[in-house]
Amino acid sequence: MQEVKIKQIDEKKISQYIIKYTMEDWMNIVDSDVVIVGAGPSGMTAGYYLAKAGKRVVVFERRLSFGGGIGGGAMNFHKVVIESPAEEILKEIGVRMTEVESGVFIVDTAEFMAKLGAAAVDAGVKILHGVTVDDVIFREDPLRVAGVAVEWTSTQMSGLHVDPLFVSAKAVLDATGHDAEIISVASRKLPELNVQIPGEKSAYSEIAEELVVVNSGKVAEGLYSSGMATAEVRGLPRMGPIFGAMLLSGRKVAEDILRDIR
Ligand code: 48F
């Protein structure tokens, strides 16, 4: 067997490197162009297009994984359905698909998550895991959302009273899925934003997909929704394990944000 000579590193140097480079990243992250909350399909797609256009984008994800609802597929089956024209996006990032009828594709959930995450990271998106966003920052004259408050997910789970850190941004995207957590907290704490939340309706996949895409976009100045957060905020039906609209709504909201923060 070939001898393998492994470089030896002192424990304190391991710590020093991690701390130094983490803090360097955070010094930039606290002043981002766009904060995206949630590394699900719509959030990562939005991040991919925003970073490709040169914006400084951070995604805060509560969990230690990418993909949000992709991994669970439908009832844990490892396939989801994608419909035209969303396959354009998957082709662009190299996801293999089987066309099961004209304009309808089936994909593997693990490949979908891994390649979407890799595409976003390669485009320049910073994805931070284990971070929960629990509030927004706002400014008056004109009234707008100007960033978010972040906390470690583990701190939140512990129930300890720890104040968050703040991250400023020109745009905040709520890509948190069915609960629209960021828009919900903003509408509750800032009634002057005048955002009502009718709540998501039961399933009607045929119409829900298009409705989610066209309704994704600005909710208030500086605050945007994509994916299932849009269904919650606009009172639209759910659609289950068909994911075309998640990708297309991410692309659509990225285009809207690029127009607004140019
Ligand atoms: O739910 P999720 O996948 O959002 P999406 O992009 O896609 C929805 C589909 O997965 C599926 C569907 C499609 O037909 O119905 O449900 O709308 O991903 C949302 C991500 O946001 C994270 C959460 O852990 C998940 O990975 N998240 C939620 N709230 C917070 C958060 C928060 N407050 N801070 C940080 N991350």
Side-chain angles (χ1 to χ4, degrees):
M1 217 171 66
Q2 214 186 339
E3 198 192 328
V4 181
K5 186 82 186 119
I6 296 187
K7 168 105 179 146
Q8 296 178 348
I9 313 174
D10 185 276
E11 288 89 347
K12 70 172 173 299
K13 287 187 86 181
I14 298 174
S15 300
Q16 284 169 341
Y17 290 141
I18 290 172
I19 292 165
K20 178 171 187 284
Y21 288 97
T22 299
M23 293 311 145
E24 272 185 20
D25 272 3
W26 272 95
M27 289 298 281
N28 294 317
I29 286 165
V30 292
D31 182 21
S32 291
D33 288 328
V34 184
V35 165
I36 298 176
V37 191
S42 70
M44 286 200 294
T45 305
Y48 168 69
Y49 285 108
L50 286 160
K52 258 181 74 160
K55 298 301 171 197
R56 294 167 303 126
V57 183
V58 61
V59 175
F60 293 118
E61 167 54 51
R62 166 180 285 151
R63 296 191 278 187
L64 300 180
S65 56
F66 302 106
I70 299 173
M75 238 179 71
N76 273 335
F77 289 162
H78 67 285
K79 303 278 183 189
V80 293
V81 170
I82 301 281
E83 76 283 31
S84 275
E87 85 281 7
E88 288 167 7
I89 298 170
L90 292 188
K91 270 194 195 135
E92 197 175 312
I93 61 172
V95 176
R96 292 166 297 178
M97 294 166 268
T98 304
E99 189 161 16
V100 288
E101 63 175 87
S102 176
V104 180
F105 304 82
I106 191 113
V107 300
D108 265 42
T109 52
E111 181 169 354
F112 182 10
M113 286 192 288
K115 290 187 172 165
L116 187 53
V121 170
D122 286 347
V125 177
K126 275 282 171 205
I127 302 183
L128 296 195
H129 287 116
V131 179
T132 293
V133 174
D134 69 4
D135 203 349
V136 296
I137 308 171
F138 75 106
R139 290 288 180 271
E140 292 170 321
D141 302 322
L143 179 65
R144 65 191 192 280
V145 169
V148 295
V150 298
E151 187 57 272
W152 302 123
T153 303
S154 48
T155 304
Q156 276 217 334
M157 291 168 81
S158 74
L160 289 173
H161 181 166
V162 180
D163 265 333
L165 279 177
F166 296 114
V167 173
S168 66
K170 297 171 189 153
V172 173
L173 172 60
D174 185 336
T176 63
H178 295 269
D179 293 332
E181 287 191 25
I182 309 310
I183 296 170
S184 297
V185 76
S187 83
R188 179 167 50 82
K189 291 190 171 189
L190 299 170
E192 58 272 43
L193 285 176
N194 208 12
V195 176
Q196 273 77 44
I197 304 192
E200 173 190 291
K201 289 197 165 90
S202 296
Y204 191 169
S205 310
E206 287 171 11
I207 62 166
E209 286 284 279
E210 187 150 340
L211 286 172
V212 161
V213 179
V214 297
N215 282 284
S216 287
K218 190 189 288 184
V219 173
E221 282 309 314
L223 183 60
Y224 297 77
S225 76
S226 65
M228 293 315 292
T230 299
E232 177 74 4
V233 171
R234 303 290 183 205
L236 308 176
R238 66 187 300 195
M239 72 291 286
I242 174 164
F243 276 72
M246 300 301 109
L247 301 171
L248 294 166
S249 81
R251 186 169 72 180
K252 196 262 182 190
V253 82
E255 289 164 359
D256 288 1
I257 292 172
L258 286 172
R259 224 174 294 120
D260 292 350
I261 69 169
R262 210 171 344 167

